[in-house]
Amino acid sequence: MASPTDWDRRVHGSTEVAGGLDRAAAILDAFDATHRELTLASLVHRCGLPRSTTHRTADRMLRLGWLDKPGERYRIGQRLFELSGLVPIRHELREAVLPFLHDLHAAVKVAVQLGVLHGTEVLVVEKITGHRPMPMLSQVGGTIPAYCSALGRAIMAWSPPEAVEAALAGHLPARTPRTLTDPDAVRRELAAIPDRGWAVEREEGNIGVSCVAAPIFGPLGEVVAALSVTGPSAAVRSERAGPPVQLAAAAASRAYSARR
């Protein structure tokens, strides 16, 4: 049987590790698409930790490669980028779907995206914009609201009811005057998607920008993701963009299912 001293050491050591991970997580959460580089003062403000704790933890993360600091500002380190490539959603899903994203982009000449549902939001796994920049689109690794995005609706239309209700829970803010903010209105939109084969978002996220998306299914017929085309509303019309998006999603579903 372990002595009290050994037991105390184990518990204390475990607590220290957990506390250190929580502090590192708070620091990592301080970074996002609009805060890619942070001074120490900004990092302290955004992570909510004391200055000395932030500095000490960040210094340890620098040595581990979790953070980088080429000058006076911290940024996400190379080691985390290397590890991110091992995440199944990036390694398996992205690798299976990427060729079809390229084909779709070549066909429609507007931005294409791949996303997965994550609670109330869609996580952007991949994006191809070509030579036409679209700064209003989320970066890879960023998120967009599921309720008012074609990617989110394409996934929710084939998701279990509990996933849909979770995505529609809480306040649904209007991002533009066209945004559907009534959960019942969103549910009616979702109900129409399976017959049509693709989801549509008309200037609900950004005025002048529309999106068409179709679901990607796994080997058991479960929805796992969606791909979309996004561009100026005059260029992205559902009757023209819908069929190629649906075909690309179907081909991507077969490729992903074969890998699984």
Side-chain angles (χ1 to χ4, degrees):
M1 179 179 295
S3 67
T5 301
D6 292 336
W7 175 259
D8 290 342
R9 187 179 298 113
R10 290 180 191 176
V11 173
H12 181 65
S14 176
T15 302
E16 282 189 342
V17 170
L21 289 175
D22 288 340
R23 291 190 289 272
I27 288 175
L28 291 176
D29 284 343
F31 296 90
D32 59 25
T34 57
H35 299 86
R36 296 175 181 273
E37 296 189 351
L38 297 169
T39 63
L40 178 59
S42 297
L43 192 57
V44 170
H45 174 72
R46 287 183 57 78
C47 77
L49 297 173
R51 183 183 179 91
S52 60
T53 301
T54 302
H55 186 271
R56 184 172 61 252
T57 305
D59 190 56
R60 175 61 175 160
M61 294 171 72
L62 285 171
R63 294 196 296 272
L64 291 171
W66 295 4
L67 292 180
D68 189 19
K69 190 185 179 189
E72 295 300 315
R73 295 173 179 269
Y74 295 90
R75 64 188 185 189
I76 297 297
Q78 179 72 20
R79 182 55 180 156
L80 292 184
F81 175 77
E82 294 169 352
L83 291 172
S84 71
L86 303 178
V87 177
I89 193 173
R90 288 188 60 83
H91 179 67
E92 297 177 3
L93 177 62
R94 178 185 175 278
E95 292 301 315
V97 177
L98 191 56
F100 305 100
L101 288 178
H102 281 294
D103 290 346
L104 184 59
H105 179 262
V108 298
K109 303 296 190 299
V110 294
V112 298
Q113 296 181 98
L114 170 67
V116 297
L117 187 64
H118 183 66
T120 63
E121 298 179 311
V122 173
L123 173 66
V124 179
V125 178
E126 187 56 86
K127 179 180 71 169
I128 301 172
T129 59
H131 297 292
R132 178 184 292 178
M134 297 195 70
M136 74 288 294
L137 296 183
S138 293
Q139 300 297 315
V140 172
T143 58
I144 52 179
Y147 70 94
C148 63
S149 66
L151 283 170
R153 291 173 182 173
I155 299 171
M156 289 192 293
W158 278 271
S159 293
E162 57 270 21
V164 175
E165 293 311 308
L168 298 181
H171 178 55
L172 306 181
R175 301 183 65 185
T176 77
R178 297 176 180 267
T179 307
L180 294 182
T181 58
D182 179 6
D184 288 335
V186 178
R187 292 187 189 96
R188 288 193 292 271
E189 181 67 20
L190 296 179
I193 293 172
D195 287 339
R196 188 169 59 220
W198 57 81
V200 178
E201 175 260 299
R202 304 176 184 87
E203 304 188 0
E204 295 185 49
N206 296 277
I207 291 296
V209 177
S210 293
C211 183
V212 177
I216 296 173
F217 298 99
L220 300 180
E222 76 283 14
V223 63
V224 296
L227 56 78
S228 69
V229 299
T230 305
S233 297
V236 179
R237 299 186 180 278
S238 62
E239 63 273 14
R240 291 205 307 261
V245 170
Q246 187 179 26
L247 287 174
S253 296
R254 290 191 293 270
Y256 177 67
S257 295
R259 285 180 175 237
R260 299 294 291 174

